[in-house]
Amino acid sequence: MSASATAGNLPVPKAKVGSMEKQRRMALWASYIALTFFVIIFLIPPFYMIITSLKTSAEISAQAGNPWIVQNPTFDNYWELMTNAAFQRYFINSVWVTAVTVTLSMTIAILAAFSLSRMGFKGSQVLSTGVFLTYLVPPSLLFIPLFQILGWLGLINSTWALVLLFPTLAVPFCTWIMIGYFSSIPKELDEAALIDGASYPQILIQIFIPVALPGIIAATIFAFTVAWGAFLYPLAYLYSADQATLTVGIVRELIKGDVFAWGMIMAACAMAAAPPIIIYTFLMDYYIAGLTAGATKG
Amino acid sequence: MKQLARRRSLAALALCSPLILLIVCLKIYPTFYAVFLSMLDRKMNNFVGFDNFAFMISRPSFQLVIFQSVLFAVTAVILKAFLGFVLAHLMHNIRGRNERVWRGLLLVPWVIPLSLSTLTWWWLFDPSYSAFNWTLNMLGFEDIAFLGTVWNARLSVIAVNVWFGAPFFMIMYLAALKSVPEQLYEAASIDGATAVQRLFFITIPMMRNIILITVLYSLIVTFADFDIVRILTNGGPQDGTHLFATYAFVVGIQSGNIPRGATVSLFMFPILATLAFFVLRDVMKRNKEMA
């Protein structure tokens, strides 16, 4: 057998090139098959979320037939939620808390990053390191002392507590991203502007912000994601339904009711997950570039 | 001139002041305050030193929390890192061909807010309506009580975390893979290196730093995870799935024992601080290499 194999391979070097090409094509197809498999696994929960959201409570409780398909698709769950005052309340709370968090975080981060990457002062190096370290402090380490502190401030059960606390989750990483982007802007650019008599605010607004726009988009998406999806802080500090954000409103308030309300719960999840999914669909590249900036440079 | 420099650094400090204020008031101060709180008695009137720590560590239910947190974090991170590594290679193989679409689809788990996708997993695991069990029955298998027994629940919690976190590893590793110069592989191929040799002698050494940073960072986040266990099992069955964060929540917020809750959280601190030290060291090393 080995003799025939060598005999078949030896005389034609051309065949070997062909087999390598073939091998490469095989690898490509194997990759596609494996990726398809993983995509299917990964998309089971969101798929089932949408399927369930289109079912009536009767269909869910009947348990007749395949749960993975909808027999009588209906948008009733979505309509009902949209006209539900409590759900509207959660949505509005989430929107305004997120909007304020993003604005506040980005302002703090851009000012600090500009100062740390360009102006500098005694101890600015220590501060940059400190910023990175605080990014590694998870919310679950501090939520109990913060509970006491919010108590003194009278912010328990107020969405203002989130406006105060969410920036602590977003700002360190946003600052870190912005320092990276600002540092990559050539020094000659702002030196030239300084010689021309530009002030620091002018340099920031007219040079740095436009040039580092991809970084700003990445940091903004990060701040948005953190504020929109946060669960621990709102769960710990907001106990009444009218102050709840979407995540807590859905998990805590919707589940209390009817056992077969899963159609509506899943519709609520789909609606709450829609804004991040839409944002990522369009701006994914910026976000990934910001996230992996260190990895690609190395 | 000197005055100008001083004014400049004063302005620089002023621009950083919101950041400093935020970090000092809402990160550093609460950390020290947590230490103070953990040394008070139940009514928060008397100072009891390290009694709360000694009490917690002697309790079997808390020892279980330590075990579970370590099991959860280590297993989930290893699986995420492995899966992310495989996915990154698959994505790298098909480079250029609809890469964005595939990447987008694989990133969906990571984009949905975790508390909401966990809720969906819970519904998938529901004891009487589980769509997984329906499928298993169709294929001729018995029902599985996904959240019913301690070990099943632990594995389910880990599975949800891997599902959520693997895409993050994939994008980090994919970025690292793309930065490995193609010539290295060409040279190795000419020298007759096998695929396995190329993996162990080129890919992994070149990605070493990013693998380390990603794993360490993920260990921190996974250790401190709250959402999945809180929603999926709420620590049950028989307290078999509690992590530091969920246990601290039950003790500190729900039962109102603030000092003990702070104590539970603080047990995470030495672990997280050690990990953070290594992350910082690697990031610094990396920055120096780049500069």
Side-chain angles (χ1 to χ4, degrees), chain B residues 57-134:
Chain B
I57 202 109
S58 70
R59 288 266 302 239
S61 62
F62 184 68
Q63 291 162 3
L64 206 58
V65 171
I66 299 176
F67 164 73
Q68 277 146 201
S69 297
V70 174
L71 176 85
F72 170 73
V74 172
T75 319
V77 169
I78 290 173
L79 290 174
K80 282 188 277 193
F82 177 73
L83 200 58
F85 195 76
V86 172
L87 284 170
H89 270 89
L90 293 172
M91 288 295 297
H92 198 53
N93 280 348
I94 64 155
R95 72 202 97 162
R97 303 175 183 82
N98 297 324
E99 197 185 319
R100 287 192 73 236
V101 176
W102 285 98
R103 194 184 60 189
L105 289 173
L106 287 171
L107 281 179
V108 168
W110 189 61
V111 169
I112 303 174
L114 181 57
S115 51
L116 303 176
S117 50
T118 307
L119 203 55
T120 315
W121 278 101
W122 189 34
W123 171 229
L124 278 162
F125 288 146
D126 185 275
S128 32
Y129 293 91
S130 171
F132 287 148
N133 275 338
W134 182 88

Coordinates of all heavy atoms in Angstrom, one line a residue, chain B residues 57-134:
Chain B
I57 N -16.0 32.7 58.0 CA -15.1 31.6 57.5 C -15.4 30.3 58.2 O -15.1 29.2 57.7 CB -13.6 32.1 57.6 CG1 -12.8 31.3 56.6 CG2 -13.1 31.9 59.0 CD1 -12.3 32.1 55.5
S58 N -16.0 30.4 59.5 CA -16.2 29.1 60.2 C -17.5 28.5 59.8 O -17.9 27.4 60.2 CB -16.2 29.4 61.7 OG -17.4 30.2 62.0
R59 N -18.3 29.2 59.0 CA -19.6 28.7 58.6 C -19.6 27.8 57.4 O -19.1 28.3 56.3 CB -20.6 29.9 58.3 CG -21.0 30.7 59.5 CD -22.3 30.2 60.1 NE -23.3 30.2 59.1 CZ -24.5 30.9 59.2 NH1 -24.7 31.6 60.3 NH2 -25.4 30.9 58.3
P60 N -20.1 26.6 57.4 CA -20.0 25.7 56.3 C -20.7 26.4 55.1 O -20.3 26.2 53.9 CB -20.8 24.5 56.7 CG -20.7 24.5 58.2 CD -20.6 25.9 58.6
S61 N -21.8 27.1 55.3 CA -22.5 27.6 54.1 C -21.7 28.7 53.4 O -21.7 28.8 52.2 CB -23.9 28.3 54.6 OG -23.6 29.3 55.5
F62 N -20.8 29.4 54.2 CA -19.9 30.4 53.5 C -18.7 29.7 52.8 O -18.3 30.1 51.8 CB -19.5 31.4 54.5 CG -18.7 32.5 53.8 CD1 -19.2 33.4 52.9 CD2 -17.3 32.6 54.0 CE1 -18.5 34.3 52.2 CE2 -16.5 33.6 53.4 CZ -17.2 34.4 52.5
Q63 N -18.3 28.6 53.5 CA -17.2 27.9 52.8 C -17.6 27.3 51.5 O -16.8 27.3 50.5 CB -16.7 26.7 53.7 CG -16.0 27.2 55.0 CD -16.0 26.1 56.1 OE1 -16.4 25.0 55.9 NE2 -15.5 26.4 57.2
L64 N -18.9 27.0 51.4 CA -19.5 26.5 50.2 C -19.5 27.6 49.1 O -19.2 27.4 47.9 CB -20.9 26.0 50.4 CG -21.5 25.0 49.5 CD1 -20.6 23.7 49.5 CD2 -22.9 24.6 49.9
V65 N -19.7 28.8 49.6 CA -19.7 30.0 48.7 C -18.4 30.2 48.1 O -18.2 30.5 46.9 CB -20.2 31.3 49.4 CG1 -20.0 32.5 48.5 CG2 -21.7 31.1 49.8
I66 N -17.3 30.1 48.9 CA -16.0 30.2 48.4 C -15.7 29.2 47.4 O -15.2 29.5 46.3 CB -14.9 30.1 49.6 CG1 -15.2 31.2 50.6 CG2 -13.5 30.2 49.1 CD1 -14.3 31.1 51.9
F67 N -16.0 27.9 47.7 CA -15.8 26.8 46.8 C -16.5 27.1 45.4 O -15.9 27.0 44.4 CB -16.2 25.5 47.4 CG -16.4 24.4 46.4 CD1 -15.3 23.8 45.9 CD2 -17.6 24.0 46.0 CE1 -15.4 22.8 44.9 CE2 -17.8 22.9 45.1 CZ -16.7 22.3 44.5
Q68 N -17.8 27.5 45.5 CA -18.5 27.7 44.3 C -18.0 28.8 43.5 O -18.0 28.7 42.2 CB -20.0 27.9 44.7 CG -20.7 26.6 44.9 CD -21.8 26.7 46.0 OE1 -22.2 25.7 46.5 NE2 -22.3 27.9 46.3
S69 N -17.6 29.9 44.1 CA -17.1 31.0 43.4 C -15.8 30.7 42.6 O -15.7 31.0 41.4 CB -16.8 32.2 44.3 OG -17.9 32.7 44.9
V70 N -14.9 29.9 43.3 CA -13.7 29.5 42.6 C -14.0 28.5 41.5 O -13.6 28.7 40.3 CB -12.7 28.8 43.6 CG1 -11.5 28.3 42.9 CG2 -12.3 29.8 44.7
L71 N -14.9 27.6 41.8 CA -15.3 26.6 40.7 C -15.9 27.3 39.5 O -15.5 27.1 38.4 CB -16.3 25.6 41.3 CG -16.9 24.6 40.3 CD1 -15.9 23.4 40.2 CD2 -18.3 24.1 40.7
F72 N -16.8 28.2 39.8 CA -17.5 28.9 38.7 C -16.5 29.7 37.9 O -16.5 29.6 36.7 CB -18.6 29.8 39.4 CG -19.2 30.8 38.5 CD1 -20.1 30.4 37.5 CD2 -18.9 32.2 38.6 CE1 -20.7 31.3 36.7 CE2 -19.5 33.1 37.7 CZ -20.4 32.7 36.8
A73 N -15.7 30.5 38.6 CA -14.9 31.5 37.8 C -13.8 30.7 37.0 O -13.6 30.9 35.8 CB -14.2 32.4 38.8
V74 N -13.2 29.7 37.7 CA -12.1 29.0 37.0 C -12.6 28.2 35.8 O -12.1 28.3 34.7 CB -11.3 28.1 38.0 CG1 -10.3 27.3 37.2 CG2 -10.6 29.0 39.0
T75 N -13.7 27.4 36.0 CA -14.2 26.6 35.0 C -14.7 27.5 33.8 O -14.4 27.2 32.6 CB -15.4 25.7 35.5 OG1 -15.1 25.3 36.8 CG2 -15.7 24.6 34.5
A76 N -15.5 28.5 34.2 CA -16.1 29.3 33.1 C -15.0 30.0 32.3 O -15.1 30.1 31.1 CB -17.1 30.3 33.7
V77 N -14.0 30.5 33.0 CA -12.9 31.3 32.2 C -12.1 30.3 31.3 O -11.9 30.6 30.2 CB -12.0 32.0 33.2 CG1 -10.8 32.6 32.5 CG2 -12.8 33.2 33.8
I78 N -11.8 29.1 31.8 CA -11.1 28.2 31.0 C -11.9 27.8 29.7 O -11.4 27.9 28.6 CB -10.8 26.9 31.8 CG1 -9.7 27.2 32.8 CG2 -10.3 25.8 30.8 CD1 -9.4 26.0 33.8
L79 N -13.2 27.5 29.9 CA -14.1 27.2 28.8 C -14.2 28.4 27.8 O -14.2 28.2 26.6 CB -15.5 26.8 29.3 CG -15.5 25.4 30.0 CD1 -16.9 25.1 30.6 CD2 -15.1 24.3 29.0
K80 N -14.4 29.6 28.4 CA -14.5 30.8 27.5 C -13.3 31.0 26.7 O -13.3 31.3 25.5 CB -14.8 32.0 28.4 CG -16.2 32.1 28.8 CD -16.5 33.5 29.5 CE -16.1 33.5 30.9 NZ -16.6 34.7 31.7
A81 N -12.1 30.8 27.4 CA -10.8 31.1 26.7 C -10.7 30.0 25.6 O -10.3 30.4 24.5 CB -9.7 31.0 27.7
F82 N -11.0 28.8 25.9 CA -10.8 27.7 24.9 C -11.8 28.0 23.7 O -11.4 28.0 22.5 CB -11.1 26.4 25.5 CG -11.0 25.2 24.5 CD1 -9.8 24.8 24.0 CD2 -12.2 24.6 24.1 CE1 -9.7 23.8 23.1 CE2 -12.1 23.6 23.1 CZ -10.9 23.2 22.7
L83 N -13.1 28.2 24.0 CA -14.0 28.4 22.9 C -13.7 29.7 22.1 O -13.8 29.7 20.9 CB -15.4 28.5 23.6 CG -16.6 28.3 22.7 CD1 -16.6 26.9 22.1 CD2 -17.9 28.5 23.5
G84 N -13.3 30.7 22.8 CA -12.9 31.9 22.1 C -11.7 31.7 21.2 O -11.7 32.2 20.1
F85 N -10.8 30.9 21.6 CA -9.6 30.6 20.8 C -10.0 29.8 19.6 O -9.6 30.2 18.5 CB -8.7 29.7 21.7 CG -7.3 29.6 21.1 CD1 -6.4 30.7 21.2 CD2 -6.9 28.5 20.5 CE1 -5.1 30.6 20.7 CE2 -5.6 28.4 20.0 CZ -4.7 29.4 20.1
V86 N -10.9 28.8 19.7 CA -11.4 28.1 18.6 C -12.1 29.0 17.6 O -11.9 29.0 16.4 CB -12.3 26.9 19.0 CG1 -12.9 26.2 17.9 CG2 -11.5 25.9 19.9
L87 N -13.0 29.8 18.2 CA -13.8 30.6 17.3 C -13.0 31.6 16.6 O -13.2 31.9 15.4 CB -14.9 31.4 18.2 CG -16.1 30.6 18.6 CD1 -16.9 31.3 19.6 CD2 -17.0 30.2 17.4
A88 N -12.0 32.2 17.3 CA -11.1 33.2 16.6 C -10.4 32.5 15.4 O -10.2 33.1 14.4 CB -10.1 33.7 17.6
H89 N -9.9 31.3 15.6 CA -9.3 30.6 14.5 C -10.2 30.3 13.3 O -9.8 30.5 12.2 CB -8.7 29.3 15.0 CG -7.3 29.4 15.5 ND1 -7.0 29.8 16.8 CD2 -6.1 29.4 14.8 CE1 -5.7 29.9 16.9 NE2 -5.1 29.7 15.7
L90 N -11.4 29.9 13.7 CA -12.4 29.7 12.6 C -12.7 31.0 11.8 O -12.7 31.0 10.6 CB -13.7 29.2 13.2 CG -13.7 27.8 13.8 CD1 -15.0 27.4 14.5 CD2 -13.4 26.7 12.7
M91 N -12.8 32.1 12.6 CA -13.1 33.4 11.9 C -11.9 33.8 11.1 O -12.0 34.4 10.0 CB -13.3 34.5 13.0 CG -14.7 34.4 13.7 SD -16.0 34.7 12.6 CE -15.7 36.3 12.1
H92 N -10.7 33.5 11.6 CA -9.5 33.8 10.9 C -9.3 33.0 9.6 O -8.9 33.6 8.6 CB -8.2 33.6 11.8 CG -7.0 34.3 11.4 ND1 -7.0 35.6 11.1 CD2 -5.8 33.8 11.1 CE1 -5.8 36.0 10.7 NE2 -5.0 34.9 10.7
N93 N -9.8 31.8 9.6 CA -9.8 31.0 8.4 C -10.6 31.5 7.3 O -10.3 31.4 6.1 CB -10.3 29.5 8.7 CG -9.2 28.7 9.4 OD1 -8.1 29.1 9.4 ND2 -9.6 27.6 9.9
I94 N -11.8 32.1 7.6 CA -12.7 32.6 6.6 C -12.4 34.1 6.3 O -13.3 34.8 5.7 CB -14.1 32.4 6.9 CG1 -14.5 33.1 8.1 CG2 -14.4 30.9 7.1 CD1 -16.0 33.4 8.2
R95 N -11.3 34.6 6.7 CA -11.1 36.1 6.6 C -11.5 36.7 5.3 O -11.3 36.1 4.2 CB -9.7 36.5 7.0 CG -8.7 36.2 5.9 CD -7.3 36.1 6.6 NE -7.0 34.7 6.8 CZ -5.8 34.2 7.0 NH1 -4.8 35.0 7.1 NH2 -5.6 32.9 7.2
G96 N -12.1 37.8 5.4 CA -12.5 38.5 4.2 C -13.9 38.1 3.7 O -14.6 38.9 3.1
R97 N -14.3 36.9 3.9 CA -15.5 36.4 3.3 C -16.7 36.6 4.3 O -16.9 35.8 5.2 CB -15.4 34.9 2.9 CG -14.3 34.6 2.0 CD -14.1 33.1 1.8 NE -13.0 32.8 0.9 CZ -11.7 32.7 1.4 NH1 -11.5 33.0 2.6 NH2 -10.8 32.5 0.5
N98 N -17.4 37.7 4.1 CA -18.6 38.0 4.9 C -18.2 37.9 6.4 O -19.0 37.6 7.3 CB -19.7 37.0 4.7 CG -20.2 37.0 3.3 OD1 -20.3 38.1 2.8 ND2 -20.6 35.9 2.8
E99 N -17.0 38.3 6.7 CA -16.5 38.2 8.1 C -17.3 39.0 9.0 O -17.6 38.6 10.1 CB -15.0 38.7 8.1 CG -14.3 38.3 9.4 CD -12.9 38.9 9.5 OE1 -12.2 38.9 8.4 OE2 -12.6 39.3 10.6
R100 N -17.8 40.2 8.6 CA -18.5 41.1 9.5 C -19.9 40.4 9.9 O -20.3 40.5 11.0 CB -18.8 42.4 8.8 CG -17.6 43.3 8.7 CD -18.0 44.7 8.4 NE -18.6 45.4 9.5 CZ -19.8 46.0 9.4 NH1 -20.5 45.9 8.3 NH2 -20.3 46.6 10.4
V101 N -20.5 39.7 8.9 CA -21.8 39.1 9.2 C -21.6 38.0 10.3 O -22.3 37.9 11.3 CB -22.4 38.5 7.9 CG1 -23.7 37.8 8.2 CG2 -22.6 39.7 6.9
W102 N -20.6 37.1 10.0 CA -20.4 36.0 11.0 C -20.0 36.6 12.3 O -20.5 36.1 13.3 CB -19.3 35.1 10.5 CG -19.6 34.3 9.3 CD1 -19.4 34.5 8.0 CD2 -20.4 33.0 9.4 NE1 -19.9 33.5 7.3 CE2 -20.5 32.5 8.1 CE3 -20.9 32.3 10.5 CZ2 -21.2 31.3 7.8 CZ3 -21.5 31.1 10.2 CH2 -21.7 30.6 8.9
R103 N -19.2 37.6 12.3 CA -18.8 38.1 13.6 C -20.0 38.7 14.3 O -20.2 38.5 15.5 CB -17.7 39.2 13.4 CG -17.0 39.6 14.6 CD -16.0 40.7 14.3 NE -16.7 41.9 13.8 CZ -16.1 43.0 13.3 NH1 -14.8 43.0 13.2 NH2 -16.8 44.0 12.8
G104 N -20.8 39.4 13.6 CA -22.0 40.1 14.2 C -22.9 39.0 14.8 O -23.3 39.2 15.9
L105 N -23.1 37.9 14.1 CA -24.0 36.8 14.6 C -23.4 36.2 15.9 O -24.1 36.0 16.9 CB -24.2 35.7 13.6 CG -25.0 36.1 12.4 CD1 -25.0 35.0 11.3 CD2 -26.5 36.4 12.8
L106 N -22.0 36.0 15.9 CA -21.4 35.4 17.1 C -21.4 36.4 18.3 O -21.3 35.9 19.4 CB -20.0 35.0 16.7 CG -19.9 33.7 15.8 CD1 -18.5 33.5 15.4 CD2 -20.4 32.5 16.5
L107 N -21.5 37.7 18.0 CA -21.4 38.6 19.1 C -22.8 38.9 19.8 O -22.8 39.5 20.8 CB -20.8 39.9 18.6 CG -19.3 39.9 18.5 CD1 -18.8 41.3 18.0 CD2 -18.6 39.6 19.8
V108 N -23.8 38.3 19.2 CA -25.2 38.6 19.7 C -25.3 38.3 21.2 O -25.8 39.1 22.0 CB -26.3 37.9 18.9 CG1 -27.6 37.9 19.6 CG2 -26.4 38.5 17.5
P109 N -24.8 37.2 21.7 CA -24.9 36.9 23.2 C -24.3 38.0 24.0 O -24.8 38.2 25.1 CB -24.1 35.6 23.3 CG -24.1 34.9 22.0 CD -24.1 36.1 21.0
W110 N -23.3 38.6 23.5 CA -22.5 39.6 24.3 C -23.2 40.9 24.3 O -22.9 41.8 25.1 CB -21.1 39.6 23.7 CG -20.1 40.4 24.5 CD1 -19.7 40.1 25.7 CD2 -19.4 41.5 24.0 NE1 -18.7 41.0 26.1 CE2 -18.5 41.9 25.0 CE3 -19.4 42.2 22.8 CZ2 -17.7 42.9 24.9 CZ3 -18.5 43.3 22.7 CH2 -17.7 43.6 23.8
V111 N -24.1 41.1 23.3 CA -24.7 42.5 23.1 C -26.0 42.6 23.9 O -26.3 43.6 24.4 CB -25.0 42.7 21.6 CG1 -25.9 43.9 21.4 CG2 -23.7 42.8 20.8
I112 N -26.7 41.5 24.1 CA -28.0 41.5 24.8 C -27.6 41.7 26.3 O -26.7 41.1 26.8 CB -28.7 40.2 24.6 CG1 -29.0 39.9 23.2 CG2 -30.1 40.2 25.4 CD1 -29.6 38.6 22.9
P113 N -28.3 42.7 27.0 CA -28.1 42.8 28.4 C -28.2 41.5 29.1 O -29.1 40.7 28.9 CB -29.2 43.8 28.9 CG -29.5 44.6 27.6 CD -29.3 43.6 26.5
L114 N -27.2 41.2 29.9 CA -27.0 39.9 30.5 C -28.3 39.4 31.4 O -28.7 38.3 31.3 CB -25.8 39.8 31.4 CG -25.5 38.5 32.1 CD1 -25.4 37.3 31.0 CD2 -24.2 38.5 32.9
S115 N -28.8 40.4 32.1 CA -30.0 40.0 32.9 C -31.1 39.5 32.1 O -31.9 38.6 32.5 CB -30.4 41.2 33.8 OG -30.6 42.3 33.0
L116 N -31.3 40.1 30.9 CA -32.4 39.7 30.0 C -32.2 38.4 29.4 O -33.1 37.6 29.2 CB -32.7 40.8 29.0 CG -32.9 42.2 29.6 CD1 -33.1 43.3 28.5 CD2 -34.2 42.2 30.5
S117 N -30.9 38.2 28.9 CA -30.7 36.9 28.3 C -30.7 35.8 29.3 O -31.2 34.6 29.0 CB -29.4 36.9 27.5 OG -28.3 37.3 28.3
T118 N -30.3 36.1 30.5 CA -30.4 35.0 31.6 C -31.8 34.7 31.9 O -32.2 33.5 32.1 CB -29.7 35.6 32.9 OG1 -28.4 36.0 32.6 CG2 -29.7 34.4 33.9
L119 N -32.7 35.7 31.8 CA -34.1 35.4 32.0 C -34.6 34.4 30.9 O -35.4 33.5 31.2 CB -34.9 36.7 31.9 CG -36.2 36.8 32.5 CD1 -36.1 36.4 34.0 CD2 -36.8 38.2 32.4
T120 N -34.1 34.6 29.7 CA -34.5 33.7 28.6 C -34.0 32.3 28.8 O -34.7 31.3 28.6 CB -34.0 34.2 27.2 OG1 -34.2 35.6 27.1 CG2 -34.6 33.5 26.1
W121 N -32.7 32.2 29.3 CA -32.2 30.9 29.7 C -33.1 30.2 30.8 O -33.3 29.0 30.7 CB -30.8 31.0 30.2 CG -29.7 31.1 29.1 CD1 -29.1 32.3 28.7 CD2 -29.2 30.1 28.3 NE1 -28.3 32.0 27.7 CE2 -28.3 30.6 27.4 CE3 -29.4 28.7 28.3 CZ2 -27.6 29.9 26.5 CZ3 -28.7 27.9 27.4 CH2 -27.8 28.5 26.5
W122 N -33.5 31.0 31.7 CA -34.3 30.5 32.8 C -35.6 29.9 32.2 O -36.0 28.8 32.6 CB -34.7 31.6 33.8 CG -35.3 31.1 35.0 CD1 -35.1 30.0 35.7 CD2 -36.3 31.8 35.8 NE1 -35.9 29.9 36.8 CE2 -36.7 31.0 36.8 CE3 -37.0 33.1 35.6 CZ2 -37.6 31.4 37.8 CZ3 -37.9 33.4 36.6 CH2 -38.2 32.6 37.6
W123 N -36.2 30.6 31.2 CA -37.4 30.1 30.6 C -37.1 28.8 29.8 O -37.9 27.9 29.7 CB -37.9 31.2 29.7 CG -39.0 30.9 28.8 CD1 -39.1 31.2 27.5 CD2 -40.3 30.2 29.1 NE1 -40.3 30.8 26.9 CE2 -41.0 30.2 27.9 CE3 -40.8 29.7 30.2 CZ2 -42.3 29.6 27.8 CZ3 -42.1 29.1 30.2 CH2 -42.8 29.0 29.0
L124 N -35.9 28.8 29.2 CA -35.5 27.6 28.4 C -35.3 26.4 29.4 O -35.4 25.2 29.0 CB -34.2 27.8 27.7 CG -34.3 28.5 26.3 CD1 -32.9 29.1 25.9 CD2 -34.8 27.6 25.3
F125 N -34.9 26.7 30.6 CA -34.6 25.7 31.6 C -35.8 25.3 32.5 O -35.8 24.4 33.3 CB -33.5 26.1 32.6 CG -32.1 26.1 32.0 CD1 -31.2 27.1 32.4 CD2 -31.7 25.2 31.1 CE1 -29.9 27.1 31.9 CE2 -30.5 25.2 30.5 CZ -29.6 26.2 31.0
D126 N -36.9 26.0 32.3 CA -38.1 25.9 33.1 C -38.5 24.5 33.4 O -38.6 23.7 32.4 CB -39.3 26.7 32.5 CG -40.5 26.7 33.4 OD1 -41.3 25.7 33.3 OD2 -40.7 27.6 34.1
P127 N -38.7 24.1 34.6 CA -39.0 22.6 34.9 C -40.1 22.0 34.1 O -40.0 20.9 33.6 CB -39.2 22.6 36.4 CG -39.2 23.9 36.9 CD -38.7 24.8 35.8
S128 N -41.2 22.8 33.9 CA -42.4 22.1 33.2 C -42.5 22.5 31.8 O -43.2 21.9 31.0 CB -43.7 22.4 34.0 OG -43.7 23.6 34.6
Y129 N -41.9 23.7 31.4 CA -42.1 24.1 30.0 C -40.8 24.1 29.2 O -40.7 24.7 28.1 CB -42.7 25.5 30.0 CG -44.0 25.5 30.5 CD1 -44.3 25.8 31.9 CD2 -45.1 25.3 29.7 CE1 -45.6 25.7 32.4 CE2 -46.4 25.3 30.2 CZ -46.6 25.5 31.5 OH -47.9 25.5 32.0
S130 N -39.7 23.5 29.7 CA -38.4 23.6 29.1 C -38.5 23.1 27.6 O -38.8 22.0 27.3 CB -37.4 22.7 29.8 OG -36.2 22.7 29.1
A131 N -38.1 24.0 26.7 CA -38.0 23.6 25.3 C -36.8 22.7 25.1 O -36.9 21.9 24.2 CB -37.8 24.9 24.5
F132 N -35.8 22.7 25.9 CA -34.7 21.8 25.8 C -35.2 20.4 26.1 O -34.9 19.4 25.4 CB -33.6 22.1 26.8 CG -32.8 23.3 26.4 CD1 -32.2 24.1 27.4 CD2 -32.5 23.6 25.1 CE1 -31.5 25.2 27.0 CE2 -31.8 24.7 24.7 CZ -31.2 25.5 25.7
N133 N -36.0 20.2 27.2 CA -36.5 18.9 27.6 C -37.4 18.4 26.5 O -37.5 17.2 26.3 CB -37.2 19.0 28.9 CG -36.2 18.8 30.1 OD1 -35.1 18.3 29.9 ND2 -36.5 19.3 31.3
W134 N -38.2 19.3 25.9 CA -39.1 18.8 24.8 C -38.2 18.2 23.7 O -38.5 17.1 23.2 CB -39.9 20.0 24.3 CG -40.9 19.6 23.2 CD1 -42.1 19.1 23.4 CD2 -40.6 19.5 21.8 NE1 -42.7 18.8 22.1 CE2 -41.8 19.1 21.2 CE3 -39.5 19.8 21.0 CZ2 -41.9 18.9 19.8 CZ3 -39.6 19.7 19.6 CH2 -40.8 19.2 19.0

